Amino acid sequence: MEFFINIFSLVGSLALFLFGMKTMSEGLEKFAGDRLRSILAAMTKNRVMGVLTGVLITALIQSSSATTVMVVSFVNAGLMTLGQSIGVIMGANIGTTVTAWIISAVGFKVNIAAFSIPLLAIGMPLIFSSKGNRKSIGEFIFGFSFLFMGLSFLQEAATAMNIGDMVAGMLAHVPQDSFLTIILFVIVGALVTMIVQASAATMAITLMLFGMNIPGFGFEQAAALAMGQNIGTTITAFMASLTANTQARRAALAHMFFNVFGVVVFLIVFYPACDAVSWVVENLMGGGNDLFKLSAFHTAFNVINTLLLIGFVHQIEMLVCKVLPMKAQDEDYRLKFISGGLLSTAELSIMEAQKEVHHFAERCQRMFGFVPELMQTEDEAEFNKLFSRIGKYENITDAMEMEIAAYLNKVSEGRLSDASKAQIQKMLRQITELESIGDSVYNLGRTLNRHRMHCQDAFTPEQTQHMHTMLGLVNDSLQEMMKCIDLTAPRTNITKSINIEHEINNYRKQLRNQNLHDVNAGLYSYQLGVFYVDFISECERLADYVMNVVQAGKGLNNDFEDRPRNGQV
């Protein structure tokens, strides 16, 4: 019974460590999320700055996986090129070594868990603060405390279970001086990190085992485990890229290639590298702490690997492009920016959702472009083909609304700042109105199809001219909408959109009144007038939905609800 209690204590300690690291990372990212994204966008102009940026960001948020997933999402969203991402990924590998140095310096020598409880008392009032920044700082303090409490409990649980004796017993059957043993430890390090999905946690375990002076588990075996962790940590970014676009998958593949290449190179010179690191620590750093050897090896591995490959970023880019060629784009439905799972934090996931909403709007605008073409098509087969295409796009808009809404609902379950919560509400309103735009465009096509099937009279030249004029006004409204929701464009006010909306409303009233006069005057049949007014009214309704999208983006209420239904005049 005691054995099972110790097992659960060990796993629980690891869980507390991982939770602390996750909470600390999320707290800092929410506190400086926009600034971190600005740094990434501004400081990746060349490969050296990209590496330094990766080091800085990862050292701050203490998670190379979070940095790499962030980079993959930026590439997926088109905010960063593949070449820029490779430099940042290289820097992320160096930045993650900071965790090992912190643990080596204070993790097992000083009972930092004793300071964790008072730290929680400091963080408590902050975490319940109504101000987002203070709450984020409180989360960072809580995460920091949990991380080192978990580390302390991990050591206690390992001592209670006599982990050292168990590992020594297993290693007794393994040849100590065999190079195959080193490769075995590399594989074990990679597998454990793949399962835990946190190289920092695996590194903490490795440092703990190394500090126990277990027979058969010396510096070389611990170094091999550390190298394996660099391979295992690539799985997080790889999983994040599985449902992303080709460029994002290439960035994840470049990460994997970079780390595997480094392991292969270091295995070739493994023993001399270990001797060199030992000499540096003992002679230049004063020795005294064996854990520094492992941290120094971990740092040297990533720094030397970066120095070897930083001059070959372009070649790495060409290699991953050959391995993953760009697929031809078609009209089949597929979300372009949102990946299958959420990103490392809810805050980062919002950025991808914003790009997807913009893509949704682009698809609606493209769909609207089919309507003037449908009006001018006289051939029956071509008309049916184009109308079928509009129907296909309408189904796509329905699916996009559902999937983006489901994604945003998942994001909203995470810890969010007040600004991010408001942004999600805006996007939910926008996708609802965008789906209505798709419905409205389909109704325009259906009106033209019903006229073709059930009315013998063609639209008069005056009616056709008025319909084209109305379509032109709606197209202007759509173009203004695209400017308002474009994240990369300068901020625009909605005055022009409001003016176009009023112009469309007035034009609809004018045409409806003119239609009554023309029907009474016998210029065309009542049935033709019904199809004509249906089309004009649907255009005005579509423009209302467009205006609602614009207003939702600005956080305003929808004021354009005076919509006639079913072509009523």
Side-chain angles (χ1 to χ4, degrees):
M1 185 66 183
E2 185 180 354
F3 175 77
F4 288 107
I5 292 176
N6 288 335
I7 285 287
F8 281 110
S9 296
L10 186 72
V11 175
S13 301
L14 181 61
L16 185 61
F17 176 88
L18 290 171
F19 178 72
M21 187 172 64
K22 182 174 184 291
T23 305
M24 184 175 71
S25 175
E26 287 184 350
L28 182 60
E29 195 167 327
K30 279 193 282 187
F31 176 71
D34 291 333
R35 285 182 283 268
L36 290 180
R37 287 192 280 274
S38 299
I39 290 172
L40 269 175
M43 294 183 63
T44 54
K45 302 302 181 185
N46 60 66
R47 63 191 71 179
V48 175
M49 290 302 296
V51 171
L52 293 176
T53 302
V55 173
L56 173 65
I57 299 296
T58 308
L60 283 174
I61 65 177
Q62 288 293 293
S63 175
S64 61
S65 295
T67 303
T68 308
V69 170
M70 191 191 307
V71 167
V72 168
S73 70
F74 276 26
V75 175
N76 188 52
L79 301 178
M80 182 182 288
T81 66
L82 178 60
Q84 290 173 331
S85 72
I86 294 173
V88 178
I89 288 169
M90 289 178 176
N93 281 1
I94 299 174
T96 194
T97 63
V98 173
T99 308
W101 283 107
I102 294 173
I103 295 173
S104 298
V106 298
F108 300 117
K109 300 297 181 183
V110 179
N111 185 15
I112 199 165
F115 298 99
S116 298
I117 302 299
L119 278 175
L120 291 177
I122 296 173
M124 179 63 71
L126 294 174
I127 207 165
F128 286 107
S129 172
S130 58
K131 293 187 176 181
N133 282 347
R134 290 180 183 175
K135 185 179 292 186
S136 299
I137 294 173
E139 288 180 6
F140 174 80
I141 294 173
F142 263 64
F144 182 83
S145 301
F146 289 153
L147 187 149
F148 281 99
M149 286 170 64
L151 198 62
S152 178
F153 294 153
L154 189 67
Q155 188 179 25
E156 291 175 8
T159 303
M161 287 184 64
N162 293 319
I163 287 286
D165 294 339
M166 293 171 61
V167 174
M170 287 187 289
L171 293 176
H173 304 287
V174 178
Q176 302 301 312
D177 299 325
S178 172
F179 187 68
L180 291 176
T181 303
I182 300 301
I183 296 177
L184 175 64
F185 274 101
V186 171
I187 295 171
V188 170
L191 291 176
V192 172
T193 308
M194 284 181 187
I195 295 169
V196 178
Q197 287 202 31
S199 59
T202 317
M203 192 65 192
I205 295 171
T206 305
L207 286 164
M208 179 188 70
L209 294 175
F210 183 48
M212 290 180 173
N213 298 315
I214 300 170
F217 188 77
F219 171 53
E220 292 170 351
Q221 288 76 20
L225 269 181
M227 287 199 302
Q229 292 156 21
N230 280 271
I231 297 176
T233 194
T234 63
I235 194 66
T236 309
F238 179 75
M239 291 174 64
S241 72
L242 283 178
T243 54
N245 62 28
T246 304
Q247 285 292 83
R249 291 199 298 274
R250 287 171 175 173
L253 181 63
H255 183 213
M256 188 175 293
F257 168 79
F258 173 74
N259 285 15
V260 171
F261 175 84
V263 170
V264 171
V265 169
F266 259 72
L267 282 175
I268 295 173
V269 294
F270 182 71
Y271 292 110
C274 289
D275 293 339
V277 170
S278 297
W279 184 88
V280 169
V281 173
E282 292 170 2
N283 293 278
L284 300 182
M285 298 177 63
N289 187 346
D290 285 341
L291 297 183
F292 282 164
K293 287 185 181 180
L294 188 54
S295 297
F297 180 89
H298 191 210
T299 302
F301 169 81
N302 286 294
V303 170
I304 292 173
N305 193 24
T306 299
L307 292 175
L308 286 174
L309 291 178
I310 194 172
F312 299 95
V313 169
H314 182 62
Q315 286 74 12
I316 295 173
E317 185 176 355
M318 290 175 62
L319 174 64
V320 295
C321 287
K322 285 185 178 179
V323 175
L324 288 174
M326 189 70 72
K327 295 179 180 178
Q329 299 294 320
D330 55 25
E331 284 189 357
D332 290 339
Y333 165 64
R334 179 182 177 275
L335 291 180
K336 187 176 180 182
F337 298 106
I338 290 178
S339 47
L342 301 182
L343 297 184
S344 56
T345 68
E347 300 283 343
L348 280 175
S349 300
I350 292 175
M351 179 194 65
E352 288 207 332
Q354 287 174 325
K355 295 290 288 185
E356 199 64 68
V357 170
H358 186 267
H359 174 55
F360 191 178
E362 286 178 335
R363 191 178 285 275
C364 290
Q365 187 181 33
R366 194 180 318 132
M367 180 183 179
F368 177 77
F370 299 148
V371 177
E373 189 177 345
L374 193 68
M375 282 184 62
Q376 297 171 358
T377 302
E378 296 182 358
D379 182 74
E380 186 75 22
E382 285 296 319
F383 183 93
N384 292 334
K385 182 179 178 181
L386 193 54
F387 180 58
S388 175
R389 194 177 182 188
I390 293 175
K392 181 179 179 180
Y393 266 66
E394 197 275 330
N395 291 330
I396 289 174
T397 59
D398 290 344
M400 289 188 78
E401 181 199 19
M402 296 301 294
E403 292 204 25
I404 297 174
Y407 184 82
L408 289 173
N409 286 330
K410 285 183 182 178
V411 174
S412 64
E413 294 172 2
R415 293 192 294 272
L416 293 169
S417 63
D418 292 339
S420 294
K421 290 176 183 176
Q423 185 62 38
I424 287 179
Q425 291 303 313
K426 290 179 184 178
M427 286 190 284
L428 286 171
R429 283 178 57 195
Q430 285 180 324
I431 61 173
T432 299
E433 300 297 339
L434 287 169
E435 190 276 334
S436 296
I437 290 175
D439 290 344
S440 193
V441 173
Y442 177 74
N443 288 339
L444 289 174
R446 187 173 62 176
T447 299
L448 293 175
N449 186 51
R450 288 172 56 228
H451 166 258
R452 194 180 188 95
M453 293 176 61
H454 302 297
C455 186
Q456 301 295 324
D457 301 326
F459 290 117
T460 66
E462 290 77 14
Q463 285 177 324
T464 302
Q465 182 182 350
H466 294 154
M467 291 162 72
H468 278 296
T469 301
M470 179 63 90
L471 289 175
L473 289 171
V474 175
N475 185 59
D476 292 342
S477 182
L478 280 165
Q479 288 178 349
E480 286 302 308
M481 178 192 77
M482 295 305 300
K483 292 178 184 177
C484 289
I485 65 174
D486 187 355
L487 297 176
T488 61
R491 286 186 174 273
T492 56
N493 60 50
I494 63 173
T495 304
K496 188 171 181 180
S497 295
I498 294 174
N499 291 338
I500 295 173
E501 169 65 21
H502 288 322
E503 188 176 354
I504 289 173
N505 288 343
N506 293 333
Y507 195 51
R508 179 204 64 182
K509 292 175 183 177
Q510 174 189 333
L511 295 181
R512 284 168 59 191
N513 293 333
Q514 184 65 40
N515 174 71
L516 290 174
H517 178 271
D518 291 346
V519 169
N520 290 332
L523 297 180
Y524 48 79
S525 68
Y526 177 82
Q527 185 184 28
L528 183 61
V530 169
F531 287 121
Y532 171 63
V533 172
D534 279 352
F535 187 90
I536 296 299
S537 297
E538 194 62 55
C539 284
E540 189 275 334
R541 192 175 300 128
L542 194 158
D544 286 346
Y545 296 134
V546 171
M547 191 63 209
N548 289 342
V549 173
V550 173
Q551 288 188 313
K554 299 294 182 181
L556 303 173
N557 293 324
N558 296 344
D559 298 323
F560 298 92
E561 298 295 338
D562 56 329
R563 306 169 185 163
R565 297 295 178 182
N566 301 321
Q568 294 176 0
V569 296

